[in-house]
Amino acid sequence: AQSVAQPEDQVNVAEGNPLTVKCTYSVSGNPYLFWYVQYPNRGLQFLLKYITGDNLVKGSYGFEAEFNKSQTSFHLKKPSALVSDSALYFCAVRDDTGFQKLVFGTGTRLLVSP
Amino acid sequence: EAGVAQSPRYKIIEKRQSVAFWCNPISGHATLYWYQQILGQGPKLLIQFQNNGVVDDSQLPKDRFSAERLKGVDSTLKIQPAKLEDSAVYLCASSAGQGMSTEAFFGQGTRLTVV
């Protein structure tokens, strides 16, 4: 069965600095990877996905993620953080076996200070 | 394009009572998901529908939870009887087809408090 690990409960970064939110995954087949963001009292919003091809994926709001097959990682990045980026970030994975369940990690809280 | 609609937004019930949540997915989306998100945790998949058929319900506590998706559109999730540990946000999501590459779109969720 597929699984996702987000090793950091919280990431703190100063506004204007680069940010990285880590994600590692485990799947039986080929991975399909997603990042979502959740603001307070809101549902999850899709940010970006990796399907195949270029290992660097660009998404919404200036976010990007780098897929690394050998390290089974899919870290979320942004070159310059904004205070408004403060939210809860979830990594999710689906593999191409079985019923393609979409499985989420436990989430990482990003706190960007002014 | 209208998003995933859920109702109610909030619900408070006593333990052992029953409750139902409603979800209207994005028009044309064949796949519908119900997730349970307990405070401080990631969403846990309860059930996944493809049209009106169940694809996966391995983590649905079937002794108390039930879900249906009549006519392959709207869906309801029911809890009967509720327990204190059912307090959570229940998220509905939908995606176009069951393709591995398709992202899921989420509703705002229903926050359930069982007292």
Side-chain angles (χ1 to χ4, degrees), chain A:
Chain A
Q2 66 267 55
S3 65
V4 174
Q6 294 183 244
E8 302 155 317
D9 289 336
Q10 182 164 312
V11 170
N12 298 300
V13 64
E15 188 174 32
N17 284 357
L19 69 88
T20 298
V21 182
K22 296 179 180 178
C23 170
T24 59
Y25 66 90
S26 174
V27 296
S28 301
N30 294 309
Y32 297 82
L33 296 150
F34 305 81
W35 275 102
Y36 286 82
V37 60
Q38 187 175 37
Y39 296 100
N41 298 314
R42 302 289 298 275
L44 279 73
Q45 296 178 33
F46 169 74
L47 278 179
L48 51 79
K49 64 182 177 183
Y50 170 81
I51 305 303
T52 186
D54 194 349
N55 289 342
L56 186 63
V57 178
K58 294 186 182 300
S60 306
Y61 313 120
F63 283 93
E64 56 190 27
E66 187 170 11
F67 171 68
N68 187 316
K69 187 173 183 178
S70 63
Q71 297 185 3
T72 62
S73 66
F74 188 56
H75 300 333
L76 182 70
K77 300 181 179 183
K78 188 173 183 181
S80 179
L82 300 172
V83 172
S84 57
D85 292 330
S86 298
L88 196 53
Y89 290 81
F90 291 96
C91 182
V93 68
R94 178 188 277 145
D95 72 13
D96 59 359
T97 62
F99 297 111
Q100 297 108 39
K101 289 167 53 176
L102 185 60
V103 175
F104 284 82
T106 52
T108 298
R109 185 167 301 281
L110 174 66
L111 185 60
V112 182
S113 55

